[in-house]
């Protein structure tokens, strides 16, 4: 027994208790042996037996209730490492969730279900499988690093050698500047020291290439992928491989930030600005932020990669907290595409809606066709048309359950709500007045593909969005066709801008990027800039095509600062102007936010809960440090017949906001029962959208 062990007798165990039960989630049990903190156990809870984790330093006040003994010890696997426990304590505290709820939720579901002998069996099977693995192939040759890459790698090497925790590093470079190559070299160094590497990516399914590249580069190492599409059995297996130290590289989406890795030596967060690092339900954690914290805890370097860093990260660079490693040039001297901002208001205006594509853009597409080059046309709206409309009576295809229109999907003749899923056949006639002539209004990718097919006869079209890639193998098939040169024009939503290394695309066009300029969400311009930069990065990746590469922006607002900065590929200028706006408006990263959300069938119930919460706050001392705004409906105020309301809490100090929330939220739990009809409430720390 090590000196850190919890002594036998009364042992604190963290379990998952439903939040509404208002049960503490650290319970005392009786143990007949001394246990390491982090040991997995099964304990009786009420009439059930549930998974639990032995914890240290969180013992709760003793009660007179006789202690129940621990039912099973799952000690055929090592205890969870101390740093893992520390990470979970931090995350539960920071995101205001129960320690038990969060800690058990981030473990594989199978692990929570299996008893000791079942788990031992799984382990045996796992080890047997490992013995039969194939001979390693030889690794592809690695290119000699250029000067910027070498400098970046040297800085990372230095950071790993330092005894003190190093500053987080931002690897700042456009697509094609060689960031991934730097990740691979840093990974290699870490592996050489027998350390494990955690590589976080926004999406794995969309970017199978990165996984391919990592496995090819390290054929003698075990690489596991952790993401939401794994079966429960696969999830347990990858988790165990990481936890047992048998996986050398864990490549995963946001949940992988919680992977237990006893030999962790490096964390990489690719596309660190990507919104999908923020969990959008339950514990709304940011995997990027937790990765930075975890690196600090474990004293390992963390590398955040992006062409368009989040403004939070960029502000840390400007203030000197993070270190910027710059890759300013594309590999092989490839130039960034020339950005052409096309002013839609210069088009002659015939009757009716403006054309999907300006004639000049069509000509540019025809040029590509005649040269056998590929084009990518980008529109961030799927379906055929966002709404159907009856000109006779004004009927529109509203969703009966949400504050949204139902989208017209032509291929299966449905009207579909993208928020609640409510789907119906397209009516033959207007449901209100019987008019037979109901028309699609506006344009989604499905319609754009159809229109482009008509405008460019003979062009081979493909579509890449959530509808076209649904179903097994469709996504891979489309990608393969593009890579094989079997597609001339690819139409897609933002899905298409993520990470794909399309070599033969010389034209990227954003046909309707204006909505983000006037969105109520303060992060909309930041997201749009990142998206367009990333889309531009899909063009001209081959040096010999780069001089002809273009990015077209069709806009009614050509003077907008966002497009001006984009034209010059000038991230720093864009960031400076955004930060200026944020500073004067008191928004992040200069203020810290939490959003209290409430949902009910009746909006008045949700509002009353938020008002009462504000009154409770007003009576608290800590509320001096925060500003609480009145309740408002979010932009999607009704989803599936549930009304939503939200209330913003703002503070100049992160720690004071934390202190206030920690005092305030327990009181809201107590008040909940008084609000009959409240469906649920939750707090979102550092919300992505307000
Ligand atoms: P990013 O991740 O920034 O998009 P990559 O690392 O994928 O960039 O590099 C883009 C391309 O250039 C890849 O095909 C990669 O193999 C290649 N590459 C990267 N670094 C070098 C180098 N130093 N010399 C030659 N080719 C390189
Ligand atoms: Zn009508
Ligand atoms: Zn709906």
């Amino acid at each position: 027994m090590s000196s850190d062990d919890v002594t036998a007798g009364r042992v604190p165990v963290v379990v998952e208790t439903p939040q509404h039960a208002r049960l503490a989630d650290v319970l005392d049990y009786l143990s007949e042996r001394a246990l390491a903190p982090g040991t997995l156990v099964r304990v009786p809870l009420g009439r059930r037996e549930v998974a639990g984790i032995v914890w240290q330093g969180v013992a709760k006040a003793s009660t007179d209730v006789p202690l129940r003994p621990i039912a099973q010890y799952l000690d055929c696997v090592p205890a969870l490492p101390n740093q893992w426990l520390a990470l979970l304590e931090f995350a539960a505290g920071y995101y205001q969730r129960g320690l038990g709820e969060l800690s058990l939720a981030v473990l594989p579901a199978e692990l929570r279900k299996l008893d000791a002998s079942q788990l031992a069996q799984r382990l045996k099977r796992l080890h047997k499988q490992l013995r039969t693995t194939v001979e390693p192939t030889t690794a592809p040759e690695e290119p000699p690093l250029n000067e910027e890459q070498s400098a970046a790698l040297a800085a990372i090497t230095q950071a790993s050698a330092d005894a003190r925790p190093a500053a987080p590093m931002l690897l700042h470079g456009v697509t094609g500047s060689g960031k991934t190559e730097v990740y691979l070299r840093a990974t290699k160094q870490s592996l050489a020291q027998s350390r494990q590497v955690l590589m976080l990516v926004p999406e794995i399914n969309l970017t199978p290439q990165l996984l391919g590249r990592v496995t090819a580069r390290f054929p003698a190492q075990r690489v596991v992928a952790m993401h939401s599409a794994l079966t429960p059995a696969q999830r347990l297996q990858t988790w165990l491989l990481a936890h047992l130290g048998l996986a050398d590289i864990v490549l995963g989406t946001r949940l992988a930030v919680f992977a237990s890795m006893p030999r962790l030596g490096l964390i990489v967060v690719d596309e660190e600005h990507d919104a999908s690092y923020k969990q959008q339900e339950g514990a709304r954690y940011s995997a990027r932020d937790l990765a930075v914290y975890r690196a600090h805890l474990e004293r390992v370097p963390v590398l955040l990669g992006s062409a368009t860093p989040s403004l939070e990260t960029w502000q840390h660079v400007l203030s000197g907290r993070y270190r910027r490693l710059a890759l300013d040039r594309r590999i092989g001297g490839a130039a960034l595409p020339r950005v052409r901002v096309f002013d839609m208001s210069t088009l002659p205006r015939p009757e009716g809606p403006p054309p999907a594509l300006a004639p000049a853009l069509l000509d540019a597409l025809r040029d590509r066709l005649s040269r056998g080059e590929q084009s990518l046309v980008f529109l961030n709206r799927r379906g055929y048309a966002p709404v159907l409309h009856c000109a006779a009576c004004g009927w529109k295809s509203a969703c009966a359950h949400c504050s949204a229109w139902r989208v017209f999907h032509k291929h299966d003749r449905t009207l579909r709500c993208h928020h609640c899923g409510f789907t119906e056949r397209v009516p033959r006639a207007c449901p209100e007045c019987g008019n037979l002539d109901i028309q699609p209004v506006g344009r989604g990718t499905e319609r754009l593909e159809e229109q482009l097919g008509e405008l460019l006869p003979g062009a081979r079209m493909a579509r890449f969005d959530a509808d076209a890639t649904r179903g097994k193998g469709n996504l891979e098939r489309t990608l393969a066709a593009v890579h094989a040169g079997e597609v001339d024009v690819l139409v897609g939503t933002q899905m298409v801008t993520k990470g794909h290394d399309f070599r033969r695309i010389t034209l990227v066009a954003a046909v309707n990027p204006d909505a983000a300029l006037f969105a109520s969400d303060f992060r909309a311009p930041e997201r749009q800039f990142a998206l367009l930069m990333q889309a531009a990065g899909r063009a001209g990746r081959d040096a010999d095509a780069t001089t002809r590469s273009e990015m077209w922006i069709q806009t009614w607002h050509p003077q907008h600062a966002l497009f001006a900065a984009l034209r010059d590929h000038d991230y720093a200028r864009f960031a400076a102007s955004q930060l200026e706006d944020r500073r004067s408006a008191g928004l992040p990263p200069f203020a810290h936010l939490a959003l209290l959300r409430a949902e009910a069938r009746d909006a008045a119930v949700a509002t009353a809960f938020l008002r009462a919460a504000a009154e409770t706050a007003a009576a608290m001392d800590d509320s001096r440090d925060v500003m609480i705004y009145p309740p408002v409906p979010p932009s999607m105020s009704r989803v599936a017949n549930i009304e939503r309301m939200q209330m913003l809490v703002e503070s100049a100090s992160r720690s004071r906001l934390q202190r206030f929330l920690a005092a305030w939220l327990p009181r809201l739990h107590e008040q909940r029962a008084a609000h009959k009809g409240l469906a649920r409430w939750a707090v979102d720390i550092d919300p992505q959208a307000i």
Side-chain angles (χ1 to χ4, degrees):
M1 152 185 176
S2 92
S3 58
D4 296 339
D5 284 4
V6 180
T7 46
R10 183 183 287 269
V11 165
V13 175
V14 157
V15 293
E16 188 175 18
T17 52
Q19 231 182 8
H20 60 79
R22 304 294 309 120
L23 258 176
D25 55 6
V26 185
L27 303 172
D28 281 349
Y29 287 90
L30 203 58
S31 173
E32 61 212 24
R33 26 176 155 150
L35 293 171
T39 302
L40 293 162
V41 292
R42 293 189 72 77
V43 292
L45 183 71
R47 265 181 269 166
R48 296 177 304 145
E49 190 179 286
V50 298
I53 305 167
V54 175
W55 218 279
Q56 197 175 34
V58 289
K60 71 175 184 79
S62 61
T63 58
D64 297 334
V65 186
L67 290 186
R68 301 170 77 180
I70 287 176
Q72 299 193 37
Y73 302 84
L74 280 68
D75 48 7
C76 56
V77 292
L80 291 154
N82 282 335
Q83 276 120 333
W84 189 90
L85 303 178
L87 175 69
L88 268 295
E89 274 177 32
F90 171 81
Y94 186 79
Y95 294 106
Q96 308 288 339
R97 308 298 297 200
L99 180 59
E101 178 208 2
L102 185 62
S103 304
L104 288 143
V106 302
L107 295 178
E110 290 278 278
L111 191 64
R112 304 198 300 262
K113 271 193 239 139
L114 300 182
D115 66 22
S117 70
Q118 289 168 323
L119 183 59
Q121 250 170 17
R122 291 292 179 93
L123 273 177
K124 220 159 97 191
R125 216 184 303 158
L126 183 67
H127 284 291
K128 205 161 127 196
Q129 273 174 13
L130 293 186
R131 278 199 298 275
T132 59
T133 42
V134 286
E135 283 293 294
T137 49
T138 51
E141 225 168 287
E142 45 188 33
L145 296 184
N146 67 22
E147 232 167 85
E148 291 181 324
Q149 288 173 315
S150 303
L153 186 64
I156 300 163
T157 313
Q158 176 75 47
S160 333
D162 271 353
R164 292 174 302 115
M169 290 168 284
L170 167 69
L171 188 62
H172 188 196
V174 293
T175 31
S177 61
K179 291 188 298 296
T180 309
E181 189 58 41
V182 174
Y183 304 154
L184 294 174
R185 294 303 175 89
T187 297
K188 184 178 166 190
Q189 289 187 349
S190 206
L191 295 173
Q193 294 169 352
S194 308
R195 308 291 291 270
Q196 292 173 293
V197 176
L198 174 61
M199 227 182 253
L200 296 178
V201 291
E203 297 255 13
I204 281 191
N205 299 338
L206 294 184
T207 53
Q209 288 174 73
L210 179 61
L211 181 60
R213 233 169 122 183
V214 174
T215 26
R217 183 64 69 85
F218 304 107
Q221 249 72 37
R222 187 167 290 117
V223 184
V224 299
M226 261 187 203
H227 51 87
S228 56
L230 298 182
T231 64
Q234 287 169 330
R235 241 201 104 199
L236 176 64
Q237 173 160 353
T238 54
W239 188 89
L240 282 173
L241 288 170
H243 176 64
L244 299 171
L246 296 171
D248 302 294
I249 302 173
V250 174
L251 186 71
T253 48
R254 59 177 177 258
L255 185 60
V257 77
F258 293 112
S260 161
M261 298 172 72
R263 298 186 283 112
L264 185 64
L266 169 71
I267 305 179
V268 172
V269 184
D270 189 27
E271 309 289 359
E272 67 89 27
H273 63 277
D274 199 294
S276 44
Y277 283 122
K278 185 83 163 39
Q279 167 77 20
Q280 289 301 345
E281 55 194 36
R284 294 165 173 254
Y285 63 88
S286 155
R288 190 262 326 274
D289 293 349
L290 286 178
V292 170
Y293 187 81
R294 183 171 185 179
H296 172 78
L297 265 180
E298 310 224 16
R299 297 176 173 252
V300 301
V302 58
L303 195 54
L304 309 175
S306 180
T308 49
S310 64
L311 290 174
E312 281 79 1
T313 295
W314 190 245
Q315 180 57 25
H316 283 318
V317 168
L318 296 177
S319 72
R321 275 197 57 202
Y322 289 10
R323 175 157 182 202
R324 174 174 181 257
L325 312 174
L327 303 181
D328 285 333
R329 280 178 297 277
R330 282 181 131 183
I331 294 293
L336 286 165
R338 189 154 85 96
V339 176
R340 305 188 52 157
V341 177
F342 185 86
D343 183 354
M344 291 297 273
S345 66
T346 60
L347 292 180
R349 295 218 197 160
E351 291 293 291
L357 274 78
L361 175 53
L362 269 179
D363 286 343
L365 284 165
R366 290 193 187 101
D367 276 354
R368 294 332 186 266
L369 272 176
S370 67
R371 286 201 296 264
E373 295 167 2
Q374 294 175 314
S375 304
L376 190 165
V377 184
F378 164 68
L379 174 64
N380 217 2
R381 178 182 261 164
R382 65 194 170 89
Y384 189 83
V387 61
L388 280 187
H389 176 238
C390 168
C393 77
W395 173 85
K396 281 181 168 182
S397 57
C399 177
H401 313 290
C402 305
S403 50
W405 305 121
R406 277 179 302 160
V407 175
F408 173 37
H409 289 260
K410 191 176 179 186
H411 74 101
D412 59 359
R413 313 267 332 149
T414 57
L415 283 178
R416 255 189 260 162
C417 173
H418 289 182
H419 301 277
C420 73
F422 178 46
T423 302
E424 279 180 338
R425 296 273 304 165
V426 170
R428 279 178 191 287
C430 171
E432 295 286 327
C433 74
N435 173 16
L436 285 173
D437 185 28
I438 43 179
Q439 291 295 331
V441 181
R443 184 180 301 114
T445 43
E446 196 186 338
R447 189 177 201 179
L448 183 60
E449 183 191 17
E450 181 185 282
Q451 289 176 329
L452 278 172
E454 287 160 10
L455 292 164
L456 303 168
R460 295 165 301 171
M461 308 288 307
R463 183 156 56 91
F464 200 80
D465 59 27
D467 301 310
T469 57
R470 196 169 291 136
K472 207 170 157 46
N474 282 339
L475 183 136
E476 292 76 7
R477 254 195 303 284
T478 307
L479 282 180
V482 177
H483 287 299
E486 291 157 12
V487 170
D488 299 313
V489 180
L490 182 62
V491 175
T493 55
Q494 62 168 333
M495 245 176 127
V496 81
T497 64
K498 293 205 177 185
H500 308 290
D501 190 4
F502 297 131
R503 310 235 53 123
R504 308 150 79 127
I505 288 182
T506 62
L507 182 138
V508 173
V511 296
N512 187 10
D514 283 351
L517 304 181
F518 308 102
S520 59
D521 181 3
F522 72 94
R523 281 186 221 272
E526 176 185 354
R527 291 222 186 86
Q528 184 70 323
F529 186 82
L531 198 60
L532 294 176
M533 277 283 275
Q534 206 156 14
R538 300 304 120 211
R541 296 184 59 120
D542 262 349
D544 55 346
T546 124
T547 47
R548 298 191 296 280
S549 290
E550 289 179 336
M551 162 116 195
W552 282 64
I553 307 276
Q554 289 194 147
T555 176
W556 297 88
H557 306 276
Q559 304 310 326
H560 198 283
L562 191 154
F563 298 135
L566 190 73
R567 197 185 283 133
D568 299 336
H569 306 283
D570 193 345
Y571 168 80
R573 185 166 96 214
F574 173 73
S577 77
Q578 282 290 304
L579 285 173
E580 192 55 46
D581 291 354
R582 299 272 188 96
R583 194 191 294 274
S584 56
L587 287 167
F590 305 103
H592 303 280
L593 305 180
L595 204 55
L596 190 65
R597 304 172 194 272
E599 299 181 3
R601 279 190 183 270
D602 178 359
V605 173
T607 307
F609 174 78
L610 296 179
R611 290 233 168 87
E615 277 165 31
T616 302
M620 291 166 53
D621 272 354
D622 288 331
S623 71
R624 269 177 289 125
D625 301 324
V626 300
M627 164 91 179
I628 298 183
Y629 290 84
V632 291
S635 56
M636 275 294 300
S637 61
R638 188 165 59 111
V639 174
N641 293 322
I642 296 285
E643 303 282 347
R644 305 166 160 191
M645 292 297 287
Q646 63 184 32
M647 189 165 81
L648 188 65
V649 183
E650 177 200 284
S651 174
S653 150
R654 192 187 292 277
S655 57
R656 272 176 277 160
L657 175 61
Q658 281 286 310
R659 198 169 56 211
F660 165 72
L661 293 172
W664 187 42
L665 297 175
R667 301 187 193 202
L668 304 192
H669 280 292
E670 282 161 20
Q671 289 172 5
R672 186 198 199 285
H675 296 267
K676 298 259 173 300
L678 187 68
R680 55 182 187 163
W681 71 275
V683 67
D684 184 356
I685 317 288
D686 304 330
Q688 279 290 307
I690 60 173

